Amino acid sequence: MFQFLDRLSVRNKIWAMVLLFVSAVIFGSAIDVVTSRGILLAEKRLKTRHLVEAAHSLMAHYYELQKNGTLSEDDAKAQAIGALKAMRYDQVEYFWINDFTVPVPKMVMHPMVPALEGKVLEAEKFNCATSMQAGIDGPVVSTGGKKNLFVAFNEVAGQAGSGFVTYDWPKPKTGGGVT
């Protein structure tokens, strides 16, 4: 079976071992990169979930204040939106609020692009959702990057109450431009 090795010179045998070693290192590195990417993505999802839950708790707090009569509905909404506008995570990430209008939601609050507020989110540029996952353990469904981001959010929330939507959408910079 290994008779062909007998015919190789010592030099070629060494080169074969080097090639085998380099191939093993490359293969091992590729597996490590894929594994690390999966772990980092899972950590990012968990972190994002916790941050969204914290923001949701803030909104629930203002709703309770309104429900108990401590604040009027308009004051509760204004204070909740003001608090959420000021929230940032990772210095560049922000929260926004869209409603559940069907078939296409409206923007309630966007801290970076206030011109979107009150607008129906049906522009072509919003067709950027790449995948959806209802709940934490639901299947990840590819959308091909052609689904409206906000419709996707509403579908995921409607199916499981929570989940993830991945998308490719440039974030606006303060003062104009995009990242």
Side-chain angles (χ1 to χ4, degrees):
M1 181 169 159
F2 293 106
Q3 293 173 356
F4 73 94
L5 290 176
D6 292 336
R7 288 181 265 164
L8 292 176
S9 67
V10 171
R11 178 180 183 195
N12 288 339
K13 287 178 185 178
I14 291 172
W15 277 113
M17 287 189 299
V18 168
L19 180 63
L20 184 62
F21 175 75
V22 169
S23 299
V25 168
I26 290 171
F27 182 72
S29 297
I31 289 174
D32 189 44
V33 167
V34 169
T35 303
S36 296
R37 182 182 183 278
I39 290 168
L40 291 172
L41 183 58
E43 287 177 7
K44 172 120 176 138
R45 284 177 174 233
L46 182 61
K47 179 181 175 185
T48 301
R49 181 180 175 91
H50 288 156
L51 290 167
V52 170
E53 287 173 350
H56 185 268
S57 294
L58 179 71
M59 299 295 108
H61 169 73
Y62 283 105
Y63 175 71
E64 286 298 318
L65 290 176
Q66 181 257 319
K67 200 165 97 174
N68 294 335
T70 307
L71 291 174
S72 69
E73 183 177 345
D74 289 341
D75 287 341
K77 283 180 181 178
Q79 288 184 29
I81 287 172
L84 195 61
K85 265 186 186 181
M87 289 179 72
R88 294 286 186 277
Y89 58 101
D90 289 343
Q91 297 177 345
V92 295
E93 306 292 339
Y94 52 84
F95 295 99
W96 72 86
I97 304 170
N98 60 274
D99 67 11
F100 286 103
T101 303
V102 175
V104 181
K106 287 186 212 171
M107 181 63 69
V108 174
M109 182 279 297
H110 196 290
M112 304 297 284
V113 187
L116 287 175
E117 294 174 9
K119 305 279 192 235
V120 175
L121 301 166
E122 60 188 353
E124 182 67 28
K125 69 180 177 180
F126 300 134
N127 295 340
C128 58
T130 56
S131 71
M132 302 172 16
Q133 180 181 15
I136 295 173
D137 299 326
V140 176
V141 178
S142 176
T143 64
K146 301 291 184 198
K147 185 164 191 72
N148 182 290
L149 171 64
F150 304 101
V151 171
F153 282 135
N154 286 356
E155 285 180 15
V156 165
Q159 289 174 16
S162 66
F164 298 94
V165 175
T166 57
Y167 57 94
D168 293 326
W169 184 21
K171 291 183 193 159
K173 290 183 189 178
T174 305
V178 295
T179 59

